[in-house]
Amino acid sequence: MKCLLIASESAEVLFHWTDLEYQRNIQEQYGASQEEGEELPAFEDILSTLFAPIIISYSTMEDSYTSFTTDNNHIYVLHQFDECLYIAVNGDGEEKEDDLRRKMYVMKKMIEVMFGMVTLSGTLLRKELRPQDTEQRIRLWKHLQNLIETYSHLRENDQSFLVEAVERLIHPMLCEQCIEFLERRLVQQLNSSVERAGEEVLHAFILVHTKLLAFYSSRNASILTTSDLLALIIMAQNMYPSNVDLDDQSPEDVESTSGSGPESFYTPEPSPSSRDSGSSDRPDRRGTPVFEFVDPDIQMAEDSLHALEISPPDPSTPRRVFLDISLKDGLYPMMPHSMYCLPLWPGITLVLLTKIPTSAVALSVYKYLEDFDKLEKRLREGQGSSAAARSPLNMQDVRCKLDKFVKALGPSELQSAQLQIVWTEFKNRAFAKNGPGFNKDLIPWCKKMKTQLCGIYRQCFLIDSTDFPQRLSPGLQEGAQAMMQEKLMDWKDFLLVKSKRNITMVSYLEDFPGLVHFICVDRSSGQMIAPSLSITERTTSELGKGPVARFIKSKVWGLVRTTRRYLQKGYSTVTLRDGDFYFCYFLWFENESGYKLDSVDIPVLPDDSPPIGTLACDYYKRLLRYYSKNHKGETVKCYELLTVHLGVIPTEIILQHCRQLASKLWEPSRNPLL
Amino acid sequence: MAELMPPDTRRCTYFFLYDGSKVRGEGDPTRQGICYFYPEETPLDKQELMCGQLAGVSRCVSELSSSPVHTLRLRRCKFAIHMMEDFFWALGCSTEVPTVSVCELLDHLINIFCFYNGPIRQSYQLNSKETLAAQWARYLSHVQSGPSEIYNIFRCLRTVDSTTVDPLLLLKAALILQACQRCPLVLTGCILFRGRVVSTQMSPQLTMKVMVQESETYTKSQRSNGASTSCSLGAPVSSTAVFLTTSELQYLQSTPVNKNVSPFSPPLLDAPPKKTRLSRTLSDTPSTESEPPRLQTPQKLSFSPHMSESDDSFSPAPSQSSADSPNTSPQPTRSPLPNGGHAVETEHKLSHHHGFKSNGGSSVFEENQCLNGDDVNGDAARRAVFDLQGDDSGNEQSRDAQMVVGDSGVCFRKAESKHPPPPFTCALDSLEESPLIPKMLYMHRVNGLVLALLVEHGFMSDAASMEEVYHSSLASLNGLEAHLRSIAAATPGTSGQYTFAHYDCIQSTLTTNVSGRSGGAPEHPFVRATSLLHSHFCDTETLQEAIIRNAGVAVYGTRSVAQVTYFQQHSGSLRNSGIPNQQDSAFSLPSKARHRLLKHGVNLL
């Protein structure tokens, strides 16, 4: 009984995901109000009809709804992101309110990774999420639905997705060898090849199931954030789901996970661009005929329709992903990259992230978007303020640059022509001597400019327009795959086993009697360590088989949820005596040399704030920034430790264990990962 | 990141009742459906918006889930929702108040309304919207009268401070109640003093409802120095119609009437269940020396206290049947008294003891009466009581009483462990199903002291019974009042060392040193932590204890089946790095709590 719905303010369904049970439930609800024998309308229309009163009431209320619960424990969580209202429902008690909120934020994150800055324009995003063409819509929605299912499966079963930190395989020697191989052999070879079509490999990493074996970033690459890395792992898992679960799960478990089977339906094609990497900031001009006086929106829809018709799923076609990069002059979100997922063996994948030749356009678009956003805010604040007085000065600068930018784009492109028209009109209003100048009337034009810029971005990075898609040549990809396979051939089986039993409680039992489980997370690097919690029927772990292990697993999952709740309200230490167990949670800060820093009052957040985690709206990054305010010039690190002990162990001993774990857990594996 | 949110100490930000049946047609304005809206000064447009939107959206969600909406949250406010037929209640509180407390509060409000006004639909048919709106306002202000923020979390009975009141006074109060019950028309009762419980025979929930009326008459009597004179007996007596749910009535009838849930009065004389019935039966026998002959008339006995639920009138059952009724039949097996060891005592003493036990407090009472004669002067009564204790029989009684206390204490605990009431039960009487049975609430006020009795309808018309109850209790009430008045209003010592709150889930009582004075600012962190922990305890049945800590505050919470305790130690500074450390003062909280709270009568061992 689960549902996730994205709707526009006018109750148009932009996306929906429901499990079978909920779908049946909704159809029954609707069917009851229908006449006998009448055929049910499309499911999305039923959803739209039934949820419309909630959606409309949502926009009517000044202080809007965040959640409902009913007597039979159905939970509804609502959140509006820009112009899209997300509604998540649970009716089977498997998810709590914070799980639903997290799911919505993760969904939003995945949409951002897939559509980039197009998400900044409500109009464009609506069209992107709900393509006019039914078949295309079904394909896109299916893809997003699979992503949600993959994510949910990982969140429920994988500790690294539980705490939203990357788990690495603990094998320093092999790890180092692989990093070296990636650096010296693979990436070097790829980046010096002529077949790379102007692309440049920035990051390369090897995944064994969801765990990271090796990660290499080229020298001129920006740091890949943990949030993005986790999102990429979800995408890779979605493409090549590990059947590790299928191997040893009971039949009914298999059924529940089969939803996230392999698929490669929707593939945003790479952008049109010249093969020449030298002209990377000048996108190629296509020879498409220009239809003047056509509503650009309609034209866009037709464009994407066209794009999908001509793009048959091709395994060597990369996925366009939009990731955050930080350059010297600041942080640039949602910059276009190509992602190549090369399966080495089932469960082991090589992932390459490349910079595409035209990515400089994205930088410019983002800067202009920011400028117009600032201008709009200033105009809103009123003309009297000093900020408004300064804005024309800044705008002169923007004007020059944007003039050049528009000129470079050229008028032959429909989207560029549209931009040029709007830009000209904007200039007439803003800069003309007798024109209205910078006042509130300019606000709608700021909006129009932003929409046009998003349109350019969409044109450049989301629509495939050439018959020869931009990518590393298939031969090059195959070569990379083969190289890596050769390198890891002898390790393959070891890695697959190791990924299931990365570290085990056995090695800790002697030193920590009474310790049942622990998770330690380094929030600054986004990595975690935890003994494997294998709960399958066949394998016996230290926790025993089946029910006991499952019980402990549910306790661990519950503990993480509980401690997040307390952390949200500002409590960084929690100990709980619950049933036969004693749980501890600690969050603390250290400087680079390992000196423990004083704790500070952590901000208290409202109930509907973004979920505590890393994957969406990185809480820990903000926390570190908040803490660092008082520690200027010092690198602050943040750690978390969760432990589960038997309740009979005296508290002093438990605390002693925690202290020992906290101080020595990171010692044996200090080799750099990221 | 959001900054620390300012504390909103107001308990309730919105409360409204909306009747959807009044707004059926297209043209019907929403305001027609608004039965009551708090805050009353809210502009009508906003009232309409809130009522219309919240009721509408809840209806939609209920239909989607085939179940009524229970809670609804906005960004700045959380609502408990109750939907029944076309009625829609919403109670909005600050987001810091635990959801479970908001829901409890709404149920409590609706229960209070039904207690005094009967079924909701019917009362809106019989009375004007304005009259009932005044009622809602009154109930709402009553439930919000808690002195500090901590009362937003726990719905509790406020009691007289056991540490300052002489236990004998509590004993006396219990005896007065038992004496009143000798009249078969009296179902149960409680004694209240200035908005606090002295002794009660009712369940905490029922007592809370009765207290609404008490506080009402108290403020009235403060103002006009007189009460409604609905009774021939004089000014201080009043009565009002009330409605009990079937489960409440069953509770009254199925359990010993003096099932003493009074928080502080020793649970004396209630050791064997069916005690009162035993007393009544025994009181029928002519051997009991102090039984007033009037009550033995067959006519009186026919008023069976065990009334059938369907029949509200008095069933003229055969006089003896009340003694032989199934309800009383188990008595012979229970009659061996816990203190049978007294058999060695003289015949006289034994019989005296039986008399005492069987009549509850009545023997004391009667003697009291005799000693006092018609002098109802409070001081005289008080003197009489203590004189009585001075004499031989008085000693004997108090000794016996102590024995019984000890024994019954054991019994009480046993009963507790056998049937532990779910500690945080939110399930109140479901309002829909249970039909409401009309009864009367009789109140006898002596200055700040009130004797409140739940009585059968016939009681108010039965002048003899009324007079009996009035006169038999008057002297004792006067005495009790004089004593309680002389006790200085206890100031909850806000010890600078620590803050604590101890909630007894069975008696619904809260012991705390959170004063709420000076804006409660220094106590706010404690209340906030308690609020979070309380929600957690409610959610997680297996959770026994918890310590939570931020940079400045560490709070310890622990619970057992019957009670839950929160404790915070104020120390100079909690300087720490947050890393696990045995020396951390936060982890010594459990032992500190055990030591410090002993003197507040809280035993955490």
Side-chain angles (χ1 to χ4, degrees):
Chain A
M1 284 285 272
K2 301 181 182 78
C3 169
L4 178 67
L5 176 73
I6 306 178
S8 70
E9 276 161 331
S10 55
E12 186 183 28
V13 174
L14 298 180
F15 169 70
H16 68 82
W17 167 81
T18 52
D19 62 359
L20 264 180
E21 209 186 343
Y22 195 78
Q23 184 173 352
R24 225 171 282 143
N25 172 55
I26 284 288
Q27 279 166 342
E28 273 166 30
Q29 288 281 329
Y30 191 85
S33 64
Q34 267 209 326
E35 284 185 34
E36 198 75 29
E38 220 175 313
E39 210 177 301
L40 281 178
F43 185 64
E44 54 167 291
D45 295 333
I46 300 182
L47 276 180
S48 165
T49 311
L50 291 178
F51 279 89
I54 302 178
I55 297 163
I56 289 160
S57 181
Y58 185 94
S59 47
T60 317
M61 289 294 288
E62 193 184 311
D63 182 8
S64 42
Y65 309 116
T66 60
S67 75
F68 305 102
T69 61
T70 63
D71 281 356
N72 58 357
N73 291 321
H74 285 206
I75 308 173
Y76 294 69
V77 176
L78 301 91
H79 194 91
Q80 186 157 19
F81 296 103
D82 301 316
E83 287 163 47
C84 299
L85 176 63
Y86 285 54
I87 303 177
V89 187
N90 181 284
D92 55 18
E94 282 173 16
E95 297 161 300
K96 297 274 160 52
E97 202 178 312
D98 67 313
D99 298 322
L100 294 179
R101 188 160 287 121
R102 187 176 303 276
K103 203 197 264 179
M104 298 193 304
Y105 273 87
V106 169
M107 187 67 214
K108 184 186 170 249
K109 168 77 187 177
M110 299 313 291
I111 288 176
E112 279 172 358
V113 169
M114 284 175 62
F115 297 104
M117 275 182 245
V118 170
T119 54
L120 299 179
S121 158
T123 340
L124 293 186
L125 180 62
R126 265 209 306 279
K127 287 180 205 308
E128 210 60 50
L129 280 177
R130 191 188 161 85
Q132 300 257 303
D133 176 55
T134 321
E135 201 184 315
Q136 194 185 338
R137 185 156 70 223
I138 290 169
R139 263 194 285 163
L140 171 63
W141 285 4
K142 185 78 202 152
H143 177 67
L144 289 171
Q145 284 161 359
N146 283 333
L147 277 177
I148 295 186
E149 274 160 22
T150 303
Y151 163 71
S152 303
H153 179 72
L154 290 176
R155 198 199 66 78
E156 283 155 26
N157 295 289
D158 199 305
Q159 293 186 83
S160 74
F161 279 86
L162 170 69
V163 297
E164 298 186 358
V166 178
E167 184 172 0
R168 41 190 290 211
L169 284 181
I170 307 290
H171 195 297
M173 189 266 286
L174 180 61
C175 175
E176 218 158 313
Q177 277 183 21
C178 285
I179 293 175
E180 202 178 307
F181 184 83
L182 289 175
E183 181 186 359
R184 305 258 164 86
R185 304 280 308 279
L186 192 88
V187 174
Q188 204 169 38
Q189 194 165 333
L190 288 172
N191 280 348
S192 57
S193 164
V194 285
E195 288 177 73
R196 65 192 170 102
E199 296 201 0
E200 181 191 345
V201 179
L202 296 177
H203 309 276
F205 55 93
I206 303 164
L207 289 173
V208 184
H209 298 305
T210 56
K211 298 183 177 66
L212 205 53
L213 170 63
F215 187 104
Y216 168 75
S217 293
S218 75
R219 287 190 211 299
N220 47 353
S222 143
I223 288 170
L224 186 67
T225 62
T226 310
S227 165
D228 284 341
L229 182 54
L230 288 169
L232 294 176
I233 295 177
I234 295 176
M235 291 178 86
Q237 275 290 307
N238 191 42
M239 273 184 260
Y240 303 105
S242 359
N243 43 8
V244 57
D245 304 323
L246 306 184
D247 284 344
D248 14 56
Q249 267 176 348
S250 52
E252 71 262 22
D253 289 332
V254 175
E255 227 165 88
S256 70
T257 56
S258 61
S260 55
E263 56 77 43
S264 49
F265 294 110
Y266 178 79
T267 310
E269 289 295 312
S271 63
S273 69
S274 74
R275 300 290 168 92
D276 178 13
S277 59
S279 62
S280 57
D281 56 345
R282 293 189 51 174
D284 199 11
R285 294 163 201 175
R286 278 192 299 150
T288 31
V290 177
F291 304 102
E292 306 280 358
F293 313 117
V294 171
D295 178 4
D297 294 339
I298 293 173
Q299 182 58 34
M300 270 178 213
E302 281 168 8
D303 275 352
S304 34
L305 194 69
H306 178 66
L308 271 142
E309 271 169 0
I310 60 156
S311 66
D314 174 356
S316 67
T317 309
R319 267 161 204 275
R320 176 58 35 83
V321 288
F322 298 94
L323 309 172
D324 297 352
I325 60 168
S326 54
L327 299 178
K328 265 172 248 141
D329 56 338
L331 187 83
Y332 291 88
M334 300 183 271
M335 289 297 134
H337 291 74
S338 281
M339 177 197 190
Y340 297 82
C341 262
L342 309 173
L344 304 177
W345 294 280
I348 307 182
T349 318
L350 170 68
V351 181
L352 302 173
L353 285 173
T354 63
K355 179 182 165 187
I356 58 170
T358 53
S359 61
V361 175
L363 279 179
S364 312
V365 168
Y366 178 72
K367 277 187 202 154
Y368 297 129
L369 277 172
E370 248 192 345
D371 288 333
F372 281 101
D373 211 46
K374 266 186 217 152
L375 176 64
E376 191 184 321
K377 271 198 196 107
R378 284 179 187 184
L379 293 175
R380 246 181 242 288
E381 276 165 20
Q383 289 164 301
S385 71
S386 56
R390 275 203 320 273
S391 60
L393 275 173
N394 292 340
M395 280 317 288
Q396 287 299 344
D397 190 34
V398 172
R399 183 186 177 177
C400 287
K401 283 185 186 160
L402 193 53
D403 272 337
K404 277 186 204 155
F405 179 74
V406 171
K407 212 172 161 193
L409 285 175
S412 60
E413 194 82 55
L414 172 83
Q415 192 58 50
S416 335
Q418 286 288 333
L419 174 67
Q420 196 154 27
I421 293 166
V422 176
W423 175 231
T424 311
E425 185 61 31
F426 182 92
K427 280 191 289 188
N428 287 342
R429 284 168 185 269
F431 301 108
K433 281 217 174 78
N434 302 322
F438 288 90
N439 59 26
K440 283 207 159 81
D441 297 337
L442 210 56
I443 292 175
W445 287 93
C446 285
K447 285 196 170 129
K448 277 186 196 170
M449 277 305 292
K450 285 198 285 183
T451 308
Q452 287 306 322
L453 285 165
C454 287
I456 289 286
Y457 177 93
R458 176 182 171 278
Q459 172 102 50
C460 292
F461 305 112
L462 276 182
I463 299 169
D464 169 58
S465 47
T466 55
D467 295 330
F468 308 99
Q470 161 74 47
R471 64 180 180 204
L472 301 175
S473 77
L476 204 56
Q477 292 184 38
E478 277 159 29
Q481 206 169 352
M483 268 169 83
M484 212 61 234
Q485 273 169 339
E486 194 193 320
K487 166 78 191 160
L488 289 175
M489 182 55 89
D490 297 341
W491 293 96
K492 169 191 143 197
D493 293 324
F494 167 78
L495 286 174
L496 290 173
V497 173
K498 179 72 179 166
S499 79
K500 277 199 244 172
R501 293 174 66 81
N502 194 13
I503 60 169
T504 53
M505 268 312 293
V506 180
S507 28
Y508 294 88
L509 288 181
E510 213 164 290
D511 292 339
F512 302 99
L515 180 65
V516 177
H517 191 69
F518 68 86
I519 302 178
C520 194
V521 193
D522 174 353
R523 286 299 176 184
S524 340
S525 69
Q527 297 172 31
M528 58 87 73
I529 294 180
S532 59
L533 257 184
S534 160
I535 56 150
T536 54
E537 298 295 337
R538 265 192 255 157
T539 49
T540 310
S541 65
E542 298 71 43
L543 299 175
K545 278 204 231 185
V548 179
R550 219 170 294 149
F551 177 73
I552 291 171
K553 186 192 151 197
S554 74
K555 283 287 175 194
V556 171
W557 259 247
L559 174 64
V560 170
R561 176 186 294 137
T562 303
T563 56
R564 276 172 175 162
R565 170 83 188 145
Y566 283 117
L567 189 57
Q568 186 186 40
K569 297 298 172 193
Y571 299 94
S572 57
T573 303
V574 179
T575 66
L576 308 166
R577 185 179 295 282
D578 183 346
D580 295 330
F581 297 103
Y582 196 89
F583 300 105
C584 298
Y585 169 77
F586 299 93
L587 177 141
W588 71 96
F589 299 93
E590 288 180 11
N591 68 10
E592 216 163 4
S593 53
Y595 178 76
K596 314 287 182 285
L597 301 171
D598 274 349
S599 63
V600 292
D601 269 320
I602 292 172
V604 180
L605 304 175
D607 290 345
D608 65 324
S609 57
I612 304 289
T614 308
L615 181 49
C617 292
D618 196 335
Y619 168 84
Y620 295 97
K621 204 194 249 175
R622 284 177 292 152
L623 185 65
L624 277 165
R625 210 180 301 143
Y626 175 87
Y627 192 88
S628 302
K629 270 186 209 157
N630 298 323
H631 292 267
K632 292 254 159 67
E634 214 173 349
T635 310
V636 178
K637 302 191 133 208
C638 174
Y639 293 92
E640 282 182 301
L641 175 70
L642 292 112
T643 60
V644 182
H645 276 83
L646 293 177
V648 291
I649 310 291
T651 324
E652 302 80 60
I653 306 285
I654 292 177
L655 292 167
Q656 203 181 320
H657 283 177
C658 292
R659 188 167 182 86
Q660 284 169 5
L661 275 175
S663 52
K664 73 194 231 181
L665 210 48
W666 294 101
E667 277 169 14
S669 52
R670 277 207 183 265
N671 57 337
L673 175 72
L674 292 171
Chain B
M1 282 194 163
E3 289 308 305
L4 288 164
M5 288 186 293
D8 184 5
T9 48
R10 242 196 328 172
R11 183 164 191 172
C12 156
T13 44
Y14 291 107
F15 171 68
F16 62 82
L17 169 60
Y18 179 74
D19 181 0
S21 68
K22 294 280 192 304
V23 191
R24 284 264 189 256
E26 281 291 312
D28 292 341
T30 312
R31 64 195 63 183
Q32 248 167 36
I34 304 175
C35 297
Y36 176 67
F37 197 101
Y38 170 88
E40 284 160 45
E41 63 274 14
T42 313
L44 200 55
D45 285 351
K46 184 159 188 210
Q47 290 189 19
E48 287 197 318
L49 179 81
M50 297 270 297
C51 288
Q53 294 300 326
L54 260 53
V57 86
S58 299
R59 194 182 178 83
C60 176
V61 171
S62 310
E63 276 167 12
L64 272 172
S65 288
S66 330
S67 170
V69 171
H70 186 61
T71 64
L72 181 159
R73 285 222 216 142
L74 305 180
R75 257 175 297 165
R76 288 187 288 273
C77 185
K78 64 168 82 157
F79 285 89
I81 303 289
H82 191 87
M83 300 167 81
M84 192 183 78
E85 293 156 22
D86 286 316
F87 286 107
F88 179 86
W89 284 266
L91 175 73
C93 288
S94 128
T95 49
E96 275 198 17
V97 183
T99 310
V100 53
S101 305
V102 186
C103 294
E104 266 182 19
L105 182 64
L106 177 61
D107 285 343
H108 184 47
L109 260 176
I110 300 172
N111 280 331
I112 292 175
F113 183 89
C114 293
F115 181 69
Y116 288 108
N117 300 283
I120 182 92
R121 176 58 70 196
Q122 185 195 315
S123 50
Y124 268 93
Q125 279 159 354
L126 294 176
N127 299 291
S128 75
K129 218 193 249 184
E130 289 70 30
T131 320
L132 293 176
Q135 299 292 311
W136 284 114
R138 194 182 124 201
Y139 306 142
L140 190 64
S141 83
H142 177 80
V143 298
Q144 291 196 85
S145 59
S148 72
E149 278 180 279
I150 196 105
Y151 290 86
N152 298 355
I153 304 171
F154 305 100
R155 194 162 52 91
C156 58
L157 266 187
R158 300 181 64 203
T159 56
V160 288
D161 187 355
S162 64
T163 53
T164 54
V165 174
D166 186 343
L168 278 172
L169 289 179
L170 302 175
L171 173 68
K172 183 171 174 175
L175 295 183
I176 294 173
L177 290 174
Q178 285 171 359
C180 292
Q181 274 183 324
R182 280 170 49 219
C183 171
L185 294 173
V186 174
L187 292 171
T188 180
C190 63
I191 292 180
L192 312 167
F193 182 73
R194 291 181 182 165
R196 289 171 181 271
V197 179
V198 182
S199 181
T200 179
Q201 296 174 320
M202 307 176 209
S203 68
Q205 281 68 30
L206 198 53
T207 313
M208 283 182 212
K209 293 184 196 174
V210 169
M211 286 177 82
V212 177
Q213 182 70 11
E214 188 271 336
S215 67
E216 177 74 0
T217 59
Y218 180 60
T219 41
K220 251 189 213 159
S221 71
Q222 292 288 88
R223 273 202 304 269
S224 61
N225 206 20
S228 61
T229 52
S230 64
C231 178
S232 58
L233 287 167
V237 172
S238 65
S239 73
T240 180
V242 294
F243 298 83
L244 297 187
T245 62
T246 34
S247 60
E248 278 168 346
L249 197 66
Q250 271 165 3
Y251 180 79
L252 288 180
Q253 289 169 345
S254 65
T255 51
V257 180
N258 56 352
K259 176 179 148 358
N260 206 325
V261 288
S262 153
F264 298 120
S265 65
L268 82 163
L269 305 182
D270 63 346
K274 314 289 178 197
K275 181 66 200 59
T276 27
R277 244 136 266 147
L278 172 68
S279 80
R280 262 179 215 150
T281 320
L282 286 179
S283 69
D284 291 342
T285 61
S287 68
T288 321
E289 72 275 277
S290 58
E291 191 57 38
R294 266 184 297 138
L295 281 177
Q296 291 176 24
T297 57
Q299 189 205 359
K300 280 275 155 48
L301 278 172
S302 70
F303 294 151
S304 159
H306 318 289
M307 285 184 8
S308 61
E309 291 154 32
S310 55
D311 190 359
D312 207 27
S313 67
F314 304 120
S315 52
S319 64
Q320 290 310 307
S321 74
S322 78
D324 298 331
S325 71
N327 280 329
T328 52
S329 58
Q331 286 161 14
T333 59
R334 290 173 193 271
S335 57
L337 293 163
N339 46 357
H342 283 254
V344 288
E345 291 181 43
T346 63
E347 183 75 26
H348 168 75
K349 275 179 178 172
L350 192 61
S351 82
H352 182 93
H353 166 81
H354 270 271
F356 173 72
K357 267 210 71 77
S358 56
N359 290 330
S362 58
S363 62
V364 184
F365 197 74
E366 291 303 321
E367 279 173 81
N368 225 344
Q369 282 283 74
C370 293
L371 282 165
N372 286 321
D374 285 325
D375 180 11
V376 289
N377 179 284
D379 284 331
R382 186 183 51 186
R383 221 181 303 116
V385 174
F386 289 103
D387 287 345
L388 188 69
Q389 282 165 358
D391 78 38
D392 194 45
S393 69
N395 269 342
E396 182 56 47
Q397 279 169 13
S398 62
R399 247 181 60 207
D400 280 351
Q402 274 163 10
M403 291 298 295
V404 178
V405 169
D407 282 335
S408 63
V410 171
C411 290
F412 188 57
R413 272 200 295 281
K414 270 185 196 153
E416 219 169 69
S417 59
K418 253 182 264 168
H419 307 287
F424 289 104
T425 175
C426 317
L428 293 162
D429 309 312
S430 59
L431 297 152
E432 287 89 343
E433 289 84 39
S434 60
L436 295 166
I437 300 107
K439 297 283 171 201
M440 293 301 282
L441 178 64
Y442 162 96
M443 283 201 166
H444 178 179
R445 173 175 291 283
V446 180
N447 298 326
L449 188 77
V450 164
L451 167 71
L453 299 172
L454 273 178
V455 296
E456 299 291 355
H457 263 278
F459 181 78
M460 301 316 291
S461 51
D462 185 345
S465 297
M466 243 170 117
E467 247 169 80
E468 164 65 26
V469 166
Y470 180 81
H471 287 300
S472 67
S473 57
L474 185 57
S476 308
L477 288 176
N478 276 326
L480 191 58
E481 198 272 335
H483 272 291
L484 288 172
R485 186 160 21 107
S486 65
I487 294 163
T491 44
T494 333
S495 165
Q497 296 273 300
Y498 55 90
T499 311
F500 79 99
H502 172 78
Y503 183 69
D504 186 313
C505 316
I506 291 165
Q507 299 178 344
S508 296
T509 55
L510 181 69
T511 319
T512 178
N513 63 353
V514 175
S515 63
R517 264 181 263 116
S518 70
E523 288 157 349
H524 186 66
F526 174 75
V527 175
R528 218 167 55 82
T530 301
S531 169
L532 273 176
L533 285 169
H534 179 70
S535 301
H536 191 189
F537 276 125
C538 290
D539 282 350
T540 315
E541 266 176 41
T542 47
L543 184 64
Q544 295 147 36
E545 55 176 65
I547 299 169
I548 58 173
R549 205 258 314 267
N550 60 21
V553 179
V555 176
Y556 167 66
T558 178
R559 78 147 162 214
S560 65
V561 179
Q563 57 192 33
V564 52
T565 309
Y566 302 95
F567 180 82
Q568 178 199 344
Q569 174 82 31
H570 301 287
S571 53
S573 75
L574 271 171
R575 270 281 157 256
N576 66 75
S577 62
I579 195 161
N581 182 357
Q582 304 98 284
Q583 264 82 56
D584 198 327
S585 60
F587 303 116
S588 61
L589 281 178
S591 67
K592 281 204 181 106
R594 274 194 286 276
H595 283 104
R596 308 264 188 206
L597 296 187
L598 266 179
K599 75 169 177 218
H600 296 275
V602 176
N603 188 353
L604 295 177
L605 297 174

